Amino acid sequence: MSATSSVFNFRYEHGRRYHAYAEGKYPVPNDEAEMDRLDLQHHAFRLTLNGKLYRAPIPADVQNVLDVGCGTGIWSIEFADEHPSARVLGTDLSPIQPAQVPPNCEFLIDDCEQEWIFHNQFDFIHTRAMVAAIKNWSRFFEQAYANLQPGGYIECQELVFPIRCMDAGVTAANSPLMRWSELFLEAASKIGLDAAGPRSLAPKFRDAGFVDINVKTYKWPLGKWAKGAKFKLLGKFVMEDLMDWLPSSSLGLFTRILGWTREAVELFLAECRMEAKRKDRHYYGEV
């Protein structure tokens, strides 16, 4: 409620809306289409964890919780509902969270790459899908460590690039989708983002002082090719997520960083969508 008006002076480009606070820090829109995608992706993450919001062995009566890069606030809100004992704070660059929230949940417009100035230490810090948001993971973990109570946990649920394919011989040379994945990696690297970085976060955790580091990799099938009801539903979510993520992630990056025209991007993304829907190819992402 106390956010200054400048936070709401959003920037518009190529028909999409972007955050105003710390402008340009996050190359992805914050409009309705992107908010819908984030909420859909939330369900994909919950399905992956068999309905759970997290894997960390935190106590049921956990107290202070920080959700960094909370997006629409859906994780913060559902965590607050499930843990009445907790005081949940969600932070993000964009004020896109709802006004009606549980009494034990609040939101703050904040850039997690700046100096953290929280007054209380947290018992649990959560992040999700920050691969396109955090440039300096080492610094992030140092700040998280300094702001955690002894015995506290941090959990990062991350998507990593590039996209993978089960089929032999499918490369960027003959797959627009694999080509897009490589171009995203290239454009991201030019603005200081390592889209493949989450694969090697464990040493950064260790360097910051964390112990009992647990890494688990899940596969997200693209489409309904995987066996079993859970994976078919997950594949449907992932396909929808990707269809919306293609323009969200590419319009800004490819035009600003790679110098493409909007028309060239749209044409290329149409090829990517057709490729993603091919029944004879088995793409998946790693989480």
Side-chain angles (χ1 to χ4, degrees), residues 24-28 131-133 135 161 178-196 245-246 248-260 265 268:
K25 263 298 190 63
Y26 183 55
V28 179
V131 65
K135 293 180 179 176
F161 285 78
M178 301 286 259
R179 173 98 180 108
W180 166 80
S181 188
E182 285 195 355
L183 287 165
F184 180 86
L185 275 160
E186 179 192 333
S189 71
K190 287 184 175 178
I191 58 167
L193 291 165
D194 181 3
W245 173 246
L246 284 167
S248 282
S249 64
S250 308
L251 272 171
L253 272 182
F254 285 25
T255 55
R256 277 182 240 156
I257 311 303
L258 300 182
W260 289 34
V265 176
F268 178 53

Side-chain angles (χ1 to χ4, degrees), residues 6-23:
S6 62
V7 166
F8 296 94
N9 293 335
F10 299 125
R11 198 169 57 74
Y12 293 83
E13 187 182 12
H14 303 307
R16 302 298 301 264
R17 189 186 76 192
Y18 294 82
H19 67 93
Y21 175 74
E23 189 180 322

Side-chain angles (χ1 to χ4, degrees), residues 12 17 43 47 62 128 134 151 154 159 161 200 206 224 239 282:
Y12 293 83
R17 189 186 76 192
H43 295 297
L47 185 61
V62 64
R128 190 168 67 189
I134 294 178
I154 180 170
L159 298 147
F161 285 78
S200 52
R206 205 167 284 114
K224 298 179 184 176
M239 178 66 85
H282 307 83

Side-chain angles (χ1 to χ4, degrees), residues 95-205:
I96 55 172
Q97 302 78 31
Q100 301 294 322
V101 298
N104 58 331
C105 178
E106 61 180 321
F107 298 106
L108 174 73
I109 304 308
D110 190 47
D111 180 358
C112 69
E113 297 223 286
Q114 298 295 324
E115 193 73 30
W116 292 18
I117 47 171
F118 300 113
H119 302 300
N120 298 320
Q121 286 197 316
F122 298 97
D123 303 301
F124 184 39
I125 295 176
H126 167 266
T127 75
R128 190 168 67 189
M130 296 288 277
V131 65
I134 294 178
K135 293 180 179 176
N136 189 342
W137 282 101
S138 296
R139 173 80 176 125
F140 178 83
F141 291 141
E142 284 166 12
Q143 298 217 81
Y145 189 88
N147 283 269
L148 270 172
Q149 295 272 20
Y153 283 88
I154 180 170
E155 178 165 339
C156 300
Q157 300 177 1
E158 276 306 321
L159 298 147
V160 280
F161 285 78
I163 282 179
R164 306 281 201 199
C165 187
M166 304 276 283
D167 314 303
V170 178
T171 66
N174 58 22
S175 162
L177 197 59
M178 301 286 259
R179 173 98 180 108
W180 166 80
S181 188
E182 285 195 355
L183 287 165
F184 180 86
L185 275 160
E186 179 192 333
S189 71
K190 287 184 175 178
I191 58 167
L193 291 165
D194 181 3
R199 280 202 179 84
S200 52
L201 288 184
K204 292 182 172 65
F205 275 113

Side-chain angles (χ1 to χ4, degrees), residues 69-116:
C70 65
T72 64
I74 190 168
W75 186 94
S76 306
I77 290 165
E78 291 184 8
F79 188 96
D81 276 336
E82 290 179 21
H83 299 80
S85 64
R87 180 173 169 272
V88 184
L89 175 64
T91 67
D92 201 272
L93 292 174
S94 289
I96 55 172
Q97 302 78 31
Q100 301 294 322
V101 298
N104 58 331
C105 178
E106 61 180 321
F107 298 106
L108 174 73
I109 304 308
D110 190 47
D111 180 358
C112 69
E113 297 223 286
Q114 298 295 324
E115 193 73 30
W116 292 18

Side-chain angles (χ1 to χ4, degrees), residues 167 222-226 239 273-283:
D167 314 303
L222 179 59
K224 298 179 184 176
W225 58 264
M239 178 66 85
R273 289 188 191 95
M274 286 172 61
E275 177 67 22
K277 292 173 181 173
R278 282 179 61 164
K279 298 282 192 284
D280 60 333
R281 289 198 171 164
H282 307 83
Y283 292 103

